Amino acid sequence: MNVVVFDLETTGLSPERDGIVEIGALRVVDGEVQEHLRFESLVRPTNAAGEHLLIPWHAQRVHGISNEMIRDAPSLEEVLPEFLAFVDGSAVVAHNISFDGGFMRAHARRLGLTWAPAAEHCTVKLSRQAFPKERAHNLGVLAERLGLTFAPGGRHRSFGDVQVTAQAYLRLMERLQTPA
């Protein structure tokens, strides 16, 4: 199976009010992560009216992306069509797909585009199936549980999280004996 593992960093938690500040993605082809088939971009966020959004301090504290870092970044109007072309209708995987997929649906719709992956898979749900007695299923805990590590500075940055999510997806699928 050919899937695209992706992750977003945002200005907040609401797909309707908040913006996307970073998109990272990797392809998994025939059960192998293809590091050379990647998508990675900072994004200058805007609201529904097209006005520039600042990244609040509480979001900066999570992902470390500052307003200075995104000042000259391309807009979502530039980045999203490129990302949709990268996905190209493939199935997608994310850690907490309802969050990332919700942002993709809302922002694509706002720009007159369509978010229509072949399927959406969630590593949180897979983790709950693979480890039903465990209570925590956040990406840090899951990575530790599966013996995975984040690249230095990679945690809570889209591409760093994607690298771990892709490996976690493969290990979870193997553990659940489901072809990736």
Side-chain angles (χ1 to χ4, degrees), residues 50-136:
E51 300 164 324
H52 178 71
L53 290 174
L54 292 176
I55 305 170
W57 66 269
H58 55 85
Q60 289 184 45
R61 201 170 65 191
V62 172
H63 49 57
I65 300 170
S66 68
N67 289 302
E68 178 68 22
M69 291 168 68
I70 53 107
R71 186 182 64 202
D72 297 323
S75 68
L76 190 62
E77 289 83 356
E78 298 169 79
V79 174
L80 192 54
E82 293 174 14
F83 179 62
L84 294 175
F86 179 81
V87 172
D88 192 28
S90 298
V92 295
V93 175
H95 195 76
N96 191 7
I97 191 72
S98 62
F99 179 84
D100 297 271
F103 265 85
M104 292 306 298
R105 274 185 289 287
H107 287 270
R109 183 174 47 251
R110 182 171 61 105
L111 296 175
L113 303 169
T114 303
W115 173 247
E120 293 184 348
H121 304 286
C122 183
T123 51
V124 172
K125 290 180 182 177
L126 293 172
S127 178
R128 287 182 179 138
Q129 291 173 5
F131 304 103
K133 294 180 181 178
E134 299 293 340
R135 295 186 69 171

